[in-house]
Amino acid sequence: MPVPPDPWPDSRPQPGPPLARRAQLHRLAVRWAGNVVVVLYVGVALPGALVTPWVGMLVIAPAIGLLSALVAVLVEPKLFRDPARRHVVVHVAVAGFLLAPFTAGVAASGAVGGTALFVLVVLGTFVAGDRAFAWVGSPDAPDAPDVPDVAAVRAGLHTLPTARLLHDWETTERLLRSPRHAPVAAELRALLLDELGRREPEAVNRWLTDGGTSPAGYIGNDRDPAD
């Protein structure tokens, strides 16, 4: 008896381009916003240094820079222990050092300085929120989930209940926000997507067509793995 062709590989829409495009646009927006924040901050601070009293530049500014770096290390000790991430401490120290001349530059620039400050606050909040959200959802956070072993998941994937597959999909959502674990999360999602598509091709097809972020609302979680 001939085996009917598997409809899943040919009929499912490819989830990569829409989701990848959104993620790429988001990263691009964050990158450009961060560049604008740096340009505005430094662009106002440099002229502000000319009108800042010497006490502010030689005493207050270095003190703020050192304090900022110390706070960064206390909040995230890995920044100092990891050589690949120590540049973050330097950036924080420089930002703290420039705070005094930046304040003086805003005060001396009048309406232009006020506008620059407003734009900086709006874009800075966007960038800082993205960074904080990524850290909270990453495996570096205290309550972050463990990173699954891809080989173990691949070996036992067909025996897992559908509810576990849906749970693991939600777990990878957090892992994707960590640059360190995003490649592993993407590989896990590919495995989960293939297995979910094998079990529920029509439901997964509807989910991908609708562009949803989670398959939980489309797939029942009580299906036996052998079905």
Side-chain angles (χ1 to χ4, degrees):
M1 180 178 179
V3 179
D6 183 5
W8 168 246
D10 298 327
S11 61
R12 65 177 178 180
Q14 297 299 320
L19 297 178
R21 190 178 303 113
R22 275 188 287 176
Q24 184 179 10
L25 290 175
H26 176 77
R27 290 194 298 268
L28 184 63
V30 173
R31 185 181 303 114
W32 276 101
N35 291 337
V36 173
V37 167
V38 172
V39 170
L40 283 177
Y41 192 68
V42 176
V44 174
L46 290 181
L50 301 176
V51 296
T52 303
W54 68 269
V55 175
M57 291 301 301
L58 299 180
V59 179
I60 298 178
I64 296 177
L66 290 175
L67 180 61
S68 301
L70 178 61
V71 171
V73 172
L74 291 177
V75 172
E76 182 50 80
K78 294 179 181 179
L79 293 178
F80 184 77
R81 294 197 298 263
D82 187 356
R85 303 172 66 184
R86 288 177 185 170
H87 67 278
V88 177
V89 181
V90 177
H91 294 168
V92 172
V94 172
F97 177 85
L98 293 177
L99 180 61
F102 173 80
T103 304
V106 170
S109 301
V112 175
T115 302
L117 178 61
F118 174 79
V119 175
L120 189 145
V121 169
V122 173
L123 296 182
T125 302
F126 171 65
V127 175
D130 178 81
R131 295 290 186 271
F133 187 71
W135 183 84
V136 170
S138 74
D140 294 331
D143 61 342
D146 295 331
V147 181
D149 181 71
V150 176
V153 172
R154 182 184 290 109
L157 192 64
H158 299 300
T159 64
L160 296 177
T162 302
R164 174 60 184 274
L165 298 180
L166 297 174
H167 175 269
D168 289 347
W169 183 274
E170 299 298 333
T171 299
T172 57
E173 179 69 27
R174 301 188 65 190
L175 297 176
L176 282 171
R177 301 175 193 142
S178 171
R180 183 181 306 174
H181 299 289
V184 175
E187 188 173 358
L188 289 171
R189 282 207 158 184
L191 295 174
L192 295 171
L193 181 60
D194 287 340
E195 180 62 20
L196 289 172
R198 184 187 69 83
R199 300 183 189 184
E200 297 281 356
E202 295 182 0
V204 172
N205 187 50
R206 290 196 304 270
W207 162 49
L208 296 176
T209 301
D210 293 344
T213 58
S214 173
Y218 297 82
I219 301 175
N221 59 10
D222 55 348
R223 179 159 181 170
D224 190 279
D227 291 347

